[in-house]
Amino acid sequence: MVTPCDLTPVCETEEHALPQSPPMTHSIFLQACVDSFQHVNLSAHERWCNATYDMVLCWPPTPAGESAQLPCPPVKGVDPSQMVYKRCDISGRWAGKTDGDFTRPQGYTNYIVCFTKPIQEVLRKLYNDSAEDAQTKLNIALGTRIMEIIGLSLSLASLCISLAIFFYFRSLKNNRTRIHRNLFVAMVIQVMIRLVLYIDQAIIRGHIVGYSATNTNTSRQGIDNTPMLCEASYVLLEYARTAMFMWMFIEGLYLHNKITVTVFQHKFYYSVYHAVGWGVPVLMTAAWATATAMHYGSSRCWWGYNFTSYFWILEGPRFSVISLNMVFLLNIIRVLVTKLRQSNSSEALQVRKAVKAAIVLLPLLGITNVLNMIVAPLGRSAAEFGLWSYATHFLTSFQGFFIALLYCFLNGEVRTAVRKYVDNYLLHRSAGVRRGSGLSSVFLTTVTDLPRDHHGRARHLCSCLRGSQSPTHGRPYL
């Protein structure tokens, strides 16, 4: 899914809106480009522009006053069927962005025409004010991506620890924690895929070294530029995200029924919950993936798929989940306030408890994700964009940490179970340290202290070892 954070490697400058080779390798590729066109003879023309490399494509020598054209490079967000042009001035120099501008030997190439229409709209909004303002927004997006990686890493660790606690302690295995476990598993899958994709993108885009004259991408191979694997990763990501929203809906429905509904509370429809939480997302994701695959065809990795109308196959139900959970939350708060009033508590206490309940339930019910569904304010000022970007991605990336903190680490039942386990562990360990190697002597002392019969034999020891009873007198065989 394309977010403003993904724009950083795409829109470095208005002139070159495509991944470029590092400056240190420019001279190498420029020489290779010139050498590849040594066989071209333009002696019939009085002036011509020499072969050049503009950090993206290798351009052939072109007669003065004419334009060279090449297919757009096959990168994400670009329509490879489009053509990009570079004009050779009548003076025999590559033309710049404006008439008479020859400050750069390689001239100017307008790669904006290569992008698909949704990406062109994004670029138009990004550069709505000035290039400096656009660069500030790109820096904000880069900082946001770093914050995302930190938040996702912390969320992953917190969720994994919470799952280990929920699965280990038998006292925590109830209906509520069963729902929690499924939600945490869906979140773990989503977080892991996001981290893998983000790290892979950072590695791949950090090693882009440009394109040859035949448009062959010479960047390092990874998920981000591997056909089928990239698409499959995003399909799995959207499935996990949809499953997360479904389990958030189940969390809201279960909590709402537990608090506000008094009929059929003894029934727990886990099989139905399981089908809704994991089964329904399969159907939704399959429908979306099929429609998106038909729309993009052989395009690389469906880049920008969240700009298409097909994405609402997934985003529509997710928004509905948030809306329903908001209704559940308001009704839960209404019931809570009603009960607090009946208990004759002060008005300040009622408000405080209602606000606390709302804040605690916001991340669990997924309501904080609504900001992520708002269109990025790229056309606004850098300050507004920065506020939206940091707030939105902070809430989504740290969501797993907040849920694990509120519903596991700070939960009274969990803390009691963990404290009891730790106390028992420390007690047994301290007892073992005191006994040390004297365990055998303790055992012998215990044996000598056992009651004995008139033959001097231990009366109960053999019964413990054999476990047999006398059929006549009920006494153990010796």
Side-chain angles (χ1 to χ4, degrees), residues 1 81 132 370:
M1 186 172 80
S81 64
E132 292 75 14
V370 71

Side-chain angles (χ1 to χ4, degrees), residues 142-362:
L142 179 61
T144 304
R145 176 53 53 86
I146 297 174
M147 182 192 67
E148 271 192 289
I149 294 176
I150 296 174
L152 291 173
S153 301
L154 184 59
S155 294
L156 179 61
S158 303
L159 291 170
C160 289
I161 295 174
S162 300
L163 284 172
I165 292 174
F166 284 147
F167 277 105
Y168 183 80
F169 294 100
R170 290 185 177 181
S171 60
L172 300 178
K173 294 182 179 180
N174 51 52
N175 294 335
R176 178 170 47 82
T177 55
R178 290 172 76 181
I179 298 177
H180 287 349
R181 288 191 321 226
N182 284 275
L183 173 61
F184 285 17
V185 168
M187 297 186 72
V188 164
I189 297 174
Q190 184 208 192
V191 169
M192 289 181 64
I193 297 174
R194 282 194 181 277
L195 278 175
V196 171
L197 289 174
Y198 289 169
I199 295 173
D200 176 79
Q201 288 173 3
I203 294 174
I204 298 305
R205 294 171 180 176
H207 290 80
I208 291 178
V209 293
Y211 300 87
S212 66
T214 57
N215 293 340
T216 301
N217 191 351
T218 56
S219 65
R220 178 177 292 183
Q221 195 71 18
I223 299 175
D224 195 51
N225 55 4
T226 301
M228 301 300 295
L229 179 60
C230 188
E231 290 87 342
S233 299
Y234 281 104
V235 169
L236 184 57
L237 172 64
E238 294 302 335
Y239 168 75
R241 190 162 179 258
T242 305
M244 179 189 73
F245 273 89
M246 290 297 106
W247 280 106
M248 285 178 174
F249 167 71
I250 295 172
E251 290 273 9
L253 179 64
Y254 177 78
L255 185 62
H256 177 267
N257 291 344
K258 197 74 175 176
I259 294 177
T260 64
V261 181
T262 58
V263 183
F264 305 118
Q265 278 196 7
H266 62 283
K267 292 185 177 180
F268 184 72
Y269 305 97
Y270 186 71
S271 58
V272 177
Y273 292 160
H274 207 267
V276 172
W278 297 111
V280 172
V282 171
L283 302 177
M284 294 168 54
T285 308
W288 164 78
T290 302
T292 305
M294 295 175 63
H295 172 73
Y296 277 94
S298 59
S299 181
R300 297 183 56 180
C301 208
W302 303 347
W303 206 72
Y305 65 79
N306 56 309
F307 294 126
T308 66
S309 57
Y310 300 106
F311 190 59
W312 280 98
I313 298 176
L314 298 177
E315 203 73 346
R318 293 169 185 168
F319 185 77
S320 300
V321 165
I322 294 178
S323 302
L324 287 173
N325 279 352
M326 177 63 76
V327 174
F328 291 155
L329 177 61
L330 294 177
N331 199 30
I332 289 172
I333 294 176
R334 180 188 63 81
V335 173
L336 177 62
V337 171
T338 301
K339 292 182 178 180
L340 289 173
R341 288 177 177 175
Q342 293 175 353
S343 62
N344 296 324
S345 58
S346 65
E347 184 176 352
L349 179 61
Q350 295 176 18
V351 174
R352 186 164 60 251
K353 287 188 175 182
V355 172
K356 181 180 178 181
I359 295 175
V360 169
L361 290 175
L362 282 177

Side-chain angles (χ1 to χ4, degrees), residues 45-65:
H45 299 273
E46 182 179 354
R47 293 187 179 91
W48 65 85
C49 295
N50 294 322
T52 188
Y53 175 68
D54 65 353
M55 308 281 286
V56 178
L57 291 176
C58 175
W59 292 89
T62 305

